[in-house]
Amino acid sequence: MLWRRSLLAPLAALTLVLSVSAGAGTASASAPTGTAAATPGPPAASSAGDFGAPGPYATAVEVGAITTLYYPRDIADSDRRHPVIVWGNGTNGTPLAYRDLLLHWASQGFIVAAANTPQSNLGISMRAGIDMLTRRNADPGSIFLHRVDLEHIGASGHSQGGAAAIVVGADPRIDAILPIQPGPLADINAVHVPALLLAGQKDSIVFPFLVKAFYNAADHIPAVYGELRGADHFTVVGDPGPFAAPTTAWFRAHLMGDRTARTQFFGTGCGICADTATWSDVRRNALALSVPAATP
């Protein structure tokens, strides 16, 4: 299949020019300075609802053997629990290739557990990221002690990792999925949470019709299909460009209860539906059309 073309060459070239350190901070090995109970809830929103703009948090990175974490740098002193996004890479890819997008989510208040594996389709390492954060959330010596919102977890990934996000979407711990240009080796019928399926108008590896096939099969869940105008298969690699805002809004809507973010996808004022400059095709199935823009 065309989607199996290796991402190794472009990702290897990108790795040479990307630094492994986070732009706004680096991981801390110190024990948490604040251990008071934290509560779930949305942190400060992007400026004027611009979900493509950097969020309010400085960020840090922790590279582990199985999982790389991107997270708010001062999480130990946070007054809230932070939702989780698990991430799967494209074929032969690493989290470093998607660093800008994953740091963007961390700046918005998410803890991103990115699987290091270059072969993510089964979603095993993505699930391991949830298990690891569950342990860290209960560890008195961890900066993540009582700061992980394990009740709100999303799954995302690109290409083969997009298929993995669908696979992991069957896990009962997952609350929403966001497959980006997903490869075909997944069964969306096993998913029971809302899905935003993203395609690139000029993608010649995972053609838009392959992503639409997932959307068409997802008639049992609220599903939204979005095709980014002019995007090819590697637009999301490095600077995520047009992918940053909608992916952030989707996860803020479903994992943080952000009402402004919900209006980008639901209700009669659906923001992405009206933005024809960014989107070449937007579709919402019957269940998505029935979701109100405002939370009950």
Side-chain angles (χ1 to χ4, degrees), residues 162-215:
I166 296 173
V167 172
V168 175
D171 190 307
R173 297 173 292 182
I174 298 297
D175 296 288
I177 64 170
L178 200 166
I180 300 172
Q181 297 158 304
L185 299 182
D187 180 8
I188 204 164
N189 290 314
V191 176
H192 296 284
V193 295
L196 173 60
L197 296 142
L198 297 184
Q201 182 188 26
K202 295 186 177 180
D203 192 339
S204 59
I205 295 177
V206 176
F207 294 100
F209 77 84
L210 293 172
V211 186
K212 287 177 186 173
F214 280 125
Y215 167 79

Side-chain angles (χ1 to χ4, degrees), residues 61-71 84-86 111-116 124-139 142-145 148 150 153 173:
V61 178
E62 178 184 309
V63 180
I66 297 174
T67 306
T68 296
L69 296 176
Y70 299 81
Y71 58 94
V84 175
I85 302 171
V86 292
I111 302 169
V112 183
N116 292 336
I124 296 171
S125 295
M126 293 168 70
R127 291 188 179 98
I130 302 175
D131 297 337
M132 182 263 286
L133 282 172
T134 300
R135 294 190 299 271
R136 299 283 292 275
N137 186 59
D139 179 1
S142 169
I143 61 171
F144 296 99
L145 177 65
V148 186
L150 295 167
I153 303 175
R173 297 173 292 182

Side-chain angles (χ1 to χ4, degrees), residues 9-67:
L11 295 186
L14 183 65
T15 299
L16 294 176
V17 299
L18 289 177
S19 166
V20 295
S21 63
T26 56
S28 170
S30 60
T33 57
T35 57
T39 58
S46 301
S47 176
D50 179 4
F51 299 106
Y57 294 97
T59 56
V61 178
E62 178 184 309
V63 180
I66 297 174
T67 306

Side-chain angles (χ1 to χ4, degrees), residues 5 18 25 33 38 59 78 92 104 113 117 139 162 168 198 200 247 260 281 287:
R5 292 180 189 173
L18 289 177
T33 57
T59 56
S78 178
N92 290 331
H104 180 74
T117 177
D139 179 1
V168 175
L198 297 184
T247 58
T260 301
D281 191 359
L287 290 176

